Amino acid sequence: MMRGWKLPAISRERARAASKRALRVGAVLVALICFGCLAWQIAGLSAGGAGTTITEADGRSREEVQAELDRLVQENMMTVSLAPTAQLDDEGNLRVNVVNDEENGFPQRFRVIQNDRQLYRSSVIEPGKCIEFCRVEDIEVGDAYVEIQALDRDTNMPHGNPTRVKVSVVKTDG
């Protein structure tokens, strides 16, 4: 028969004292963690936090600030209009019908992309104008993308993020 290890006897009082001490240490650690989180939260809020923009309200009410934000959104809104099916004729002319709505505040430019390759880049399309056809080399029947980019009114440089729309390229008769 094998003998097992004998653990030294610990009195119940010592065990309770050790348990209480561990409980107190745990409570202090939890309190320190909570305090640290609170301090980090306060410091993060005062610095604005990631992804925020801090501006002054200049004494305006919440409703006035919201109205200003709504106005900015409205000014920068853009309607995108194009044919969901791009028709390709025998000469390589692709009918896309990209329309820059006259109510858009920005000129636009678009690209035709297929298989991660840019096959066409348009000229500037002013509000109220349309490009019905474009000549596209090496495009194939199947899926492609038309990526529309708003442009700055003064410089015609990209403004904001482009919108990419999947279109189906089909061959037409004639």
Side-chain angles (χ1 to χ4, degrees), residues 126-149:
E126 295 295 332
K129 302 295 180 188
C130 170
I131 293 184
E132 188 173 357
F133 290 94
C134 58
R135 179 118 174 101
V136 181
E137 302 290 330
D138 300 325
I139 195 162
E140 301 169 357
V141 171
D143 291 337
Y145 294 92
V146 175
E147 183 179 270
I148 300 173
Q149 173 69 59

PDB file of all heavy atoms in Angstrom, residues 126-149:
ATOM      1  N   GLU A 126     -21.035  67.157 -65.467  1.00  0.00           N
ATOM      2  CA  GLU A 126     -21.627  68.228 -64.670  1.00  0.00           C
ATOM      3  C   GLU A 126     -23.052  67.856 -64.265  1.00  0.00           C
ATOM      4  O   GLU A 126     -23.693  67.035 -64.932  1.00  0.00           O
ATOM      5  CB  GLU A 126     -21.636  69.542 -65.458  1.00  0.00           C
ATOM      6  CG  GLU A 126     -20.262  70.092 -65.766  1.00  0.00           C
ATOM      7  CD  GLU A 126     -19.479  70.515 -64.532  1.00  0.00           C
ATOM      8  OE1 GLU A 126     -20.124  70.884 -63.517  1.00  0.00           O
ATOM      9  OE2 GLU A 126     -18.243  70.471 -64.572  1.00  0.00           O
ATOM     10  N   PRO A 127     -23.575  68.450 -63.182  1.00  0.00           N
ATOM     11  CA  PRO A 127     -24.965  68.191 -62.791  1.00  0.00           C
ATOM     12  C   PRO A 127     -25.918  68.492 -63.952  1.00  0.00           C
ATOM     13  O   PRO A 127     -25.754  69.478 -64.670  1.00  0.00           O
ATOM     14  CB  PRO A 127     -25.193  69.152 -61.625  1.00  0.00           C
ATOM     15  CG  PRO A 127     -23.832  69.319 -61.019  1.00  0.00           C
ATOM     16  CD  PRO A 127     -22.891  69.312 -62.204  1.00  0.00           C
ATOM     17  N   GLY A 128     -26.885  67.596 -64.162  1.00  0.00           N
ATOM     18  CA  GLY A 128     -27.858  67.751 -65.230  1.00  0.00           C
ATOM     19  C   GLY A 128     -27.398  67.134 -66.551  1.00  0.00           C
ATOM     20  O   GLY A 128     -28.135  67.178 -67.530  1.00  0.00           O
ATOM     21  N   LYS A 129     -26.219  66.547 -66.582  1.00  0.00           N
ATOM     22  CA  LYS A 129     -25.683  65.954 -67.817  1.00  0.00           C
ATOM     23  C   LYS A 129     -25.679  64.431 -67.711  1.00  0.00           C
ATOM     24  O   LYS A 129     -25.795  63.857 -66.632  1.00  0.00           O
ATOM     25  CB  LYS A 129     -24.261  66.443 -68.096  1.00  0.00           C
ATOM     26  CG  LYS A 129     -24.145  67.948 -68.221  1.00  0.00           C
ATOM     27  CD  LYS A 129     -24.894  68.462 -69.421  1.00  0.00           C
ATOM     28  CE  LYS A 129     -24.755  69.970 -69.519  1.00  0.00           C
ATOM     29  NZ  LYS A 129     -25.580  70.553 -70.520  1.00  0.00           N
ATOM     30  N   CYS A 130     -25.522  63.772 -68.878  1.00  0.00           N
ATOM     31  CA  CYS A 130     -25.589  62.318 -68.950  1.00  0.00           C
ATOM     32  C   CYS A 130     -24.544  61.801 -69.936  1.00  0.00           C
ATOM     33  O   CYS A 130     -24.270  62.459 -70.943  1.00  0.00           O
ATOM     34  CB  CYS A 130     -26.984  61.907 -69.418  1.00  0.00           C
ATOM     35  SG  CYS A 130     -27.173  60.167 -69.838  1.00  0.00           S
ATOM     36  N   ILE A 131     -23.972  60.661 -69.652  1.00  0.00           N
ATOM     37  CA  ILE A 131     -23.159  59.938 -70.641  1.00  0.00           C
ATOM     38  C   ILE A 131     -23.929  58.657 -70.931  1.00  0.00           C
ATOM     39  O   ILE A 131     -24.081  57.791 -70.060  1.00  0.00           O
ATOM     40  CB  ILE A 131     -21.738  59.635 -70.133  1.00  0.00           C
ATOM     41  CG1 ILE A 131     -20.970  60.939 -69.985  1.00  0.00           C
ATOM     42  CG2 ILE A 131     -21.033  58.670 -71.082  1.00  0.00           C
ATOM     43  CD1 ILE A 131     -19.522  60.776 -69.586  1.00  0.00           C
ATOM     44  N   GLU A 132     -24.427  58.579 -72.150  1.00  0.00           N
ATOM     45  CA  GLU A 132     -25.236  57.434 -72.531  1.00  0.00           C
ATOM     46  C   GLU A 132     -24.357  56.264 -72.976  1.00  0.00           C
ATOM     47  O   GLU A 132     -24.575  55.133 -72.573  1.00  0.00           O
ATOM     48  CB  GLU A 132     -26.200  57.826 -73.656  1.00  0.00           C
ATOM     49  CG  GLU A 132     -27.194  56.754 -73.981  1.00  0.00           C
ATOM     50  CD  GLU A 132     -28.242  57.213 -74.988  1.00  0.00           C
ATOM     51  OE1 GLU A 132     -28.236  58.382 -75.405  1.00  0.00           O
ATOM     52  OE2 GLU A 132     -29.067  56.370 -75.369  1.00  0.00           O
ATOM     53  N   PHE A 133     -23.347  56.539 -73.833  1.00  0.00           N
ATOM     54  CA  PHE A 133     -22.466  55.511 -74.351  1.00  0.00           C
ATOM     55  C   PHE A 133     -21.017  55.858 -74.037  1.00  0.00           C
ATOM     56  O   PHE A 133     -20.651  57.036 -73.978  1.00  0.00           O
ATOM     57  CB  PHE A 133     -22.584  55.399 -75.889  1.00  0.00           C
ATOM     58  CG  PHE A 133     -23.885  54.819 -76.356  1.00  0.00           C
ATOM     59  CD1 PHE A 133     -24.943  55.633 -76.690  1.00  0.00           C
ATOM     60  CD2 PHE A 133     -24.030  53.438 -76.484  1.00  0.00           C
ATOM     61  CE1 PHE A 133     -26.141  55.102 -77.137  1.00  0.00           C
ATOM     62  CE2 PHE A 133     -25.229  52.906 -76.921  1.00  0.00           C
ATOM     63  CZ  PHE A 133     -26.277  53.729 -77.254  1.00  0.00           C
ATOM     64  N   CYS A 134     -20.189  54.832 -73.894  1.00  0.00           N
ATOM     65  CA  CYS A 134     -18.746  55.029 -73.797  1.00  0.00           C
ATOM     66  C   CYS A 134     -18.060  53.891 -74.548  1.00  0.00           C
ATOM     67  O   CYS A 134     -18.600  52.796 -74.671  1.00  0.00           O
ATOM     68  CB  CYS A 134     -18.286  55.099 -72.342  1.00  0.00           C
ATOM     69  SG  CYS A 134     -18.678  53.667 -71.327  1.00  0.00           S
ATOM     70  N   ARG A 135     -16.905  54.185 -75.089  1.00  0.00           N
ATOM     71  CA  ARG A 135     -16.145  53.173 -75.835  1.00  0.00           C
ATOM     72  C   ARG A 135     -15.235  52.454 -74.842  1.00  0.00           C
ATOM     73  O   ARG A 135     -14.385  53.070 -74.220  1.00  0.00           O
ATOM     74  CB  ARG A 135     -15.318  53.838 -76.921  1.00  0.00           C
ATOM     75  CG  ARG A 135     -14.497  52.893 -77.699  1.00  0.00           C
ATOM     76  CD  ARG A 135     -14.945  52.922 -79.169  1.00  0.00           C
ATOM     77  NE  ARG A 135     -14.071  52.106 -79.980  1.00  0.00           N
ATOM     78  CZ  ARG A 135     -14.400  50.889 -80.375  1.00  0.00           C
ATOM     79  NH1 ARG A 135     -15.558  50.384 -80.041  1.00  0.00           N
ATOM     80  NH2 ARG A 135     -13.588  50.194 -81.115  1.00  0.00           N
ATOM     81  N   VAL A 136     -15.445  51.136 -74.717  1.00  0.00           N
ATOM     82  CA  VAL A 136     -14.696  50.353 -73.742  1.00  0.00           C
ATOM     83  C   VAL A 136     -13.971  49.219 -74.463  1.00  0.00           C
ATOM     84  O   VAL A 136     -14.605  48.364 -75.075  1.00  0.00           O
ATOM     85  CB  VAL A 136     -15.635  49.786 -72.646  1.00  0.00           C
ATOM     86  CG1 VAL A 136     -14.842  49.001 -71.633  1.00  0.00           C
ATOM     87  CG2 VAL A 136     -16.417  50.898 -71.979  1.00  0.00           C
ATOM     88  N   GLU A 137     -12.651  49.234 -74.373  1.00  0.00           N
ATOM     89  CA  GLU A 137     -11.842  48.173 -74.973  1.00  0.00           C
ATOM     90  C   GLU A 137     -11.770  46.985 -74.019  1.00  0.00           C
ATOM     91  O   GLU A 137     -11.738  47.154 -72.803  1.00  0.00           O
ATOM     92  CB  GLU A 137     -10.418  48.683 -75.251  1.00  0.00           C
ATOM     93  CG  GLU A 137     -10.351  49.892 -76.168  1.00  0.00           C
ATOM     94  CD  GLU A 137     -10.733  49.567 -77.604  1.00  0.00           C
ATOM     95  OE1 GLU A 137     -10.499  48.421 -78.048  1.00  0.00           O
ATOM     96  OE2 GLU A 137     -11.275  50.461 -78.274  1.00  0.00           O
ATOM     97  N   ASP A 138     -11.744  45.794 -74.563  1.00  0.00           N
ATOM     98  CA  ASP A 138     -11.498  44.551 -73.815  1.00  0.00           C
ATOM     99  C   ASP A 138     -12.546  44.201 -72.772  1.00  0.00           C
ATOM    100  O   ASP A 138     -12.260  43.419 -71.867  1.00  0.00           O
ATOM    101  CB  ASP A 138     -10.117  44.593 -73.130  1.00  0.00           C
ATOM    102  CG  ASP A 138      -8.981  44.753 -74.119  1.00  0.00           C
ATOM    103  OD1 ASP A 138      -9.093  44.196 -75.232  1.00  0.00           O
ATOM    104  OD2 ASP A 138      -7.996  45.423 -73.782  1.00  0.00           O
ATOM    105  N   ILE A 139     -13.739  44.755 -72.852  1.00  0.00           N
ATOM    106  CA  ILE A 139     -14.773  44.353 -71.893  1.00  0.00           C
ATOM    107  C   ILE A 139     -15.439  43.083 -72.393  1.00  0.00           C
ATOM    108  O   ILE A 139     -15.550  42.856 -73.600  1.00  0.00           O
ATOM    109  CB  ILE A 139     -15.803  45.480 -71.635  1.00  0.00           C
ATOM    110  CG1 ILE A 139     -16.618  45.158 -70.387  1.00  0.00           C
ATOM    111  CG2 ILE A 139     -16.677  45.711 -72.858  1.00  0.00           C
ATOM    112  CD1 ILE A 139     -17.335  46.342 -69.789  1.00  0.00           C
ATOM    113  N   GLU A 140     -15.841  42.251 -71.454  1.00  0.00           N
ATOM    114  CA  GLU A 140     -16.464  40.976 -71.786  1.00  0.00           C
ATOM    115  C   GLU A 140     -17.884  40.939 -71.247  1.00  0.00           C
ATOM    116  O   GLU A 140     -18.218  41.661 -70.305  1.00  0.00           O
ATOM    117  CB  GLU A 140     -15.658  39.831 -71.163  1.00  0.00           C
ATOM    118  CG  GLU A 140     -14.222  39.779 -71.623  1.00  0.00           C
ATOM    119  CD  GLU A 140     -13.378  38.817 -70.799  1.00  0.00           C
ATOM    120  OE1 GLU A 140     -13.911  38.230 -69.827  1.00  0.00           O
ATOM    121  OE2 GLU A 140     -12.198  38.667 -71.121  1.00  0.00           O
ATOM    122  N   VAL A 141     -18.691  40.078 -71.835  1.00  0.00           N
ATOM    123  CA  VAL A 141     -20.040  39.850 -71.324  1.00  0.00           C
ATOM    124  C   VAL A 141     -19.903  39.242 -69.923  1.00  0.00           C
ATOM    125  O   VAL A 141     -19.046  38.403 -69.673  1.00  0.00           O
ATOM    126  CB  VAL A 141     -20.818  38.902 -72.266  1.00  0.00           C
ATOM    127  CG1 VAL A 141     -22.135  38.472 -71.636  1.00  0.00           C
ATOM    128  CG2 VAL A 141     -21.049  39.565 -73.616  1.00  0.00           C
ATOM    129  N   GLY A 142     -20.730  39.721 -69.004  1.00  0.00           N
ATOM    130  CA  GLY A 142     -20.686  39.232 -67.622  1.00  0.00           C
ATOM    131  C   GLY A 142     -20.776  40.395 -66.651  1.00  0.00           C
ATOM    132  O   GLY A 142     -21.230  41.487 -66.999  1.00  0.00           O
ATOM    133  N   ASP A 143     -20.333  40.167 -65.438  1.00  0.00           N
ATOM    134  CA  ASP A 143     -20.405  41.200 -64.404  1.00  0.00           C
ATOM    135  C   ASP A 143     -19.273  42.209 -64.549  1.00  0.00           C
ATOM    136  O   ASP A 143     -18.152  41.868 -64.914  1.00  0.00           O
ATOM    137  CB  ASP A 143     -20.330  40.576 -63.015  1.00  0.00           C
ATOM    138  CG  ASP A 143     -21.566  39.763 -62.668  1.00  0.00           C
ATOM    139  OD1 ASP A 143     -22.630  40.026 -63.262  1.00  0.00           O
ATOM    140  OD2 ASP A 143     -21.465  38.867 -61.807  1.00  0.00           O
ATOM    141  N   ALA A 144     -19.607  43.446 -64.260  1.00  0.00           N
ATOM    142  CA  ALA A 144     -18.636  44.542 -64.225  1.00  0.00           C
ATOM    143  C   ALA A 144     -19.125  45.527 -63.168  1.00  0.00           C
ATOM    144  O   ALA A 144     -20.199  45.346 -62.583  1.00  0.00           O
ATOM    145  CB  ALA A 144     -18.520  45.216 -65.585  1.00  0.00           C
ATOM    146  N   TYR A 145     -18.329  46.547 -62.921  1.00  0.00           N
ATOM    147  CA  TYR A 145     -18.701  47.571 -61.950  1.00  0.00           C
ATOM    148  C   TYR A 145     -18.578  48.944 -62.592  1.00  0.00           C
ATOM    149  O   TYR A 145     -17.663  49.194 -63.370  1.00  0.00           O
ATOM    150  CB  TYR A 145     -17.800  47.514 -60.707  1.00  0.00           C
ATOM    151  CG  TYR A 145     -17.997  46.255 -59.923  1.00  0.00           C
ATOM    152  CD1 TYR A 145     -17.212  45.127 -60.166  1.00  0.00           C
ATOM    153  CD2 TYR A 145     -18.981  46.170 -58.944  1.00  0.00           C
ATOM    154  CE1 TYR A 145     -17.411  43.959 -59.448  1.00  0.00           C
ATOM    155  CE2 TYR A 145     -19.173  45.006 -58.221  1.00  0.00           C
ATOM    156  CZ  TYR A 145     -18.387  43.905 -58.490  1.00  0.00           C
ATOM    157  OH  TYR A 145     -18.586  42.755 -57.784  1.00  0.00           O
ATOM    158  N   VAL A 146     -19.503  49.805 -62.239  1.00  0.00           N
ATOM    159  CA  VAL A 146     -19.407  51.220 -62.578  1.00  0.00           C
ATOM    160  C   VAL A 146     -19.204  51.934 -61.251  1.00  0.00           C
ATOM    161  O   VAL A 146     -20.039  51.832 -60.352  1.00  0.00           O
ATOM    162  CB  VAL A 146     -20.672  51.733 -63.309  1.00  0.00           C
ATOM    163  CG1 VAL A 146     -20.588  53.233 -63.530  1.00  0.00           C
ATOM    164  CG2 VAL A 146     -20.858  50.998 -64.633  1.00  0.00           C
ATOM    165  N   GLU A 147     -18.066  52.605 -61.144  1.00  0.00           N
ATOM    166  CA  GLU A 147     -17.729  53.308 -59.908  1.00  0.00           C
ATOM    167  C   GLU A 147     -17.864  54.802 -60.162  1.00  0.00           C
ATOM    168  O   GLU A 147     -17.186  55.350 -61.023  1.00  0.00           O
ATOM    169  CB  GLU A 147     -16.296  52.968 -59.483  1.00  0.00           C
ATOM    170  CG  GLU A 147     -15.907  53.612 -58.172  1.00  0.00           C
ATOM    171  CD  GLU A 147     -14.501  53.234 -57.767  1.00  0.00           C
ATOM    172  OE1 GLU A 147     -14.357  52.210 -57.070  1.00  0.00           O
ATOM    173  OE2 GLU A 147     -13.574  53.963 -58.163  1.00  0.00           O
ATOM    174  N   ILE A 148     -18.756  55.436 -59.408  1.00  0.00           N
ATOM    175  CA  ILE A 148     -19.043  56.858 -59.593  1.00  0.00           C
ATOM    176  C   ILE A 148     -18.428  57.642 -58.444  1.00  0.00           C
ATOM    177  O   ILE A 148     -18.622  57.304 -57.279  1.00  0.00           O
ATOM    178  CB  ILE A 148     -20.565  57.098 -59.676  1.00  0.00           C
ATOM    179  CG1 ILE A 148     -21.125  56.301 -60.860  1.00  0.00           C
ATOM    180  CG2 ILE A 148     -20.870  58.587 -59.815  1.00  0.00           C
ATOM    181  CD1 ILE A 148     -22.619  56.301 -60.957  1.00  0.00           C
ATOM    182  N   GLN A 149     -17.682  58.682 -58.790  1.00  0.00           N
ATOM    183  CA  GLN A 149     -16.978  59.501 -57.815  1.00  0.00           C
ATOM    184  C   GLN A 149     -17.457  60.952 -57.916  1.00  0.00           C
ATOM    185  O   GLN A 149     -17.445  61.526 -59.008  1.00  0.00           O
ATOM    186  CB  GLN A 149     -15.469  59.451 -58.089  1.00  0.00           C
ATOM    187  CG  GLN A 149     -14.638  60.382 -57.245  1.00  0.00           C
ATOM    188  CD  GLN A 149     -14.601  59.964 -55.782  1.00  0.00           C
ATOM    189  OE1 GLN A 149     -14.182  58.869 -55.467  1.00  0.00           O
ATOM    190  NE2 GLN A 149     -15.043  60.829 -54.892  1.00  0.00           N
TER     191      GLN A 149
END
